[in-house]
Amino acid sequence: MKMKGVFQILLLLLPFFVLPGCRNAEGKDIPFPEDEFADGDLAFRRGMGIMSRVVLAADEKGVFSHVGILKRIDGVWHVIHAVPDEPEFEGDVDRVKVEPLASFYAFDRASRGAIMRYDCDTGILRRTAEAAAEIAGRGTLFDHDYDLDDTTQMYCTELISFVYGKQGIDLTEGRRTVANLPALGGIYIMPGDLTGNKNLKLIYQFIR
């Protein structure tokens, strides 16, 4: 069997492995260590749907299919992220939205997750979260064309790269992924293009 085939099988099996300490003796998830989080931290997740599997098949550098940015609002941690096919109400459109961290990591949405922080001044991190909130507040739509040259609409990694870029930080360090799959063809920023940055520090992770 070719190595790529082995890799894809391992990706499919990952959701069935549990990270020790992720759950308590009763099988319930341990609460997030919220005191360790900060505005501007990145929330990565491995999704459960078909599109998540397509992203993972294309992104040989990573194990996550989606990413958002943390911001504390009224004492509650929220994730700002650009996402398709997750309407909050009837008639809702695909857009950059803000939702509670617990919802972002809900059992039917995430089999794996990680909070990572870029090693820089906290003021810079805070401004990235504020910029993302402003983009969400404008009702910015999800970019189904995945066009990095058009910032009037955005997809998940594009949003993260954009708000950090505003602070002079290139999270991708120039990395791009060329995908040649039936459902995904072109040049993209994948989650693995972000996690490859050595200045990202792991704050928290789980595997269900």
Side-chain angles (χ1 to χ4, degrees):
M1 181 180 291
K2 294 183 179 180
M3 285 302 297
K4 185 172 182 180
V6 173
F7 178 76
Q8 290 176 334
I9 291 173
L10 289 174
L11 284 176
L12 294 174
L13 290 176
L14 269 174
F16 299 98
F17 289 90
V18 178
L19 182 70
C22 178
R23 293 185 176 183
N24 60 22
E26 289 74 36
K28 297 180 180 179
D29 272 8
I30 296 173
F32 299 117
E34 296 186 354
D35 291 343
E36 299 180 18
F37 300 160
D39 281 8
D41 285 352
L42 301 182
F44 291 89
R45 80 181 182 196
R46 180 187 177 92
M48 312 285 278
I50 294 175
M51 193 58 192
S52 294
R53 294 182 183 276
V54 171
V55 170
L56 288 164
D59 185 7
E60 297 186 1
K61 299 183 293 296
V63 296
F64 300 107
S65 59
H66 188 54
V67 62
I69 187 166
L70 285 186
K71 181 172 175 55
R72 195 161 196 158
I73 303 172
D74 297 329
V76 178
W77 284 112
H78 287 71
V79 181
I80 304 167
H81 61 125
V83 62
D85 303 321
E86 291 186 10
E88 295 181 348
F89 51 85
E90 186 176 353
D92 194 9
V93 295
D94 295 340
R95 57 189 168 84
V96 178
K97 68 177 186 177
V98 184
E99 67 175 331
L101 180 64
S103 177
F104 181 83
Y105 282 139
F107 274 86
D108 62 343
R109 291 183 177 176
S111 62
R112 179 173 187 165
I115 303 295
M116 298 184 185
R117 179 176 303 151
Y118 188 82
D119 186 14
C120 67
D121 182 79
T122 57
I124 293 176
L125 294 177
R126 185 175 61 254
R127 288 193 290 275
T128 64
E130 290 170 351
E134 291 175 2
I135 291 170
R138 294 199 295 265
T140 303
L141 298 177
F142 183 86
D143 183 7
H144 287 281
D145 292 326
Y146 297 92
D147 184 356
L148 290 171
D149 294 324
D150 178 10
T151 57
T152 62
Q153 300 182 24
M154 294 186 176
Y155 62 96
C156 69
T157 48
E158 180 184 10
L159 170 66
I160 302 304
S161 179
F162 180 81
V163 295
Y164 269 83
K166 285 288 188 180
Q167 299 301 317
I169 298 172
D170 180 8
L171 277 182
T172 70
E173 299 171 319
R175 286 180 292 274
R176 296 293 185 272
T177 295
V178 179
N180 293 296
L181 300 175
L184 204 66
I187 300 175
Y188 307 90
I189 297 175
M190 291 289 183
D193 295 320
L194 301 178
T195 58
N197 192 308
K198 298 299 188 296
N199 288 314
L200 279 179
K201 310 300 181 184
L202 181 66
I203 305 300
Y204 168 77
Q205 66 176 330
F206 69 87
I207 301 176
R208 292 191 170 115

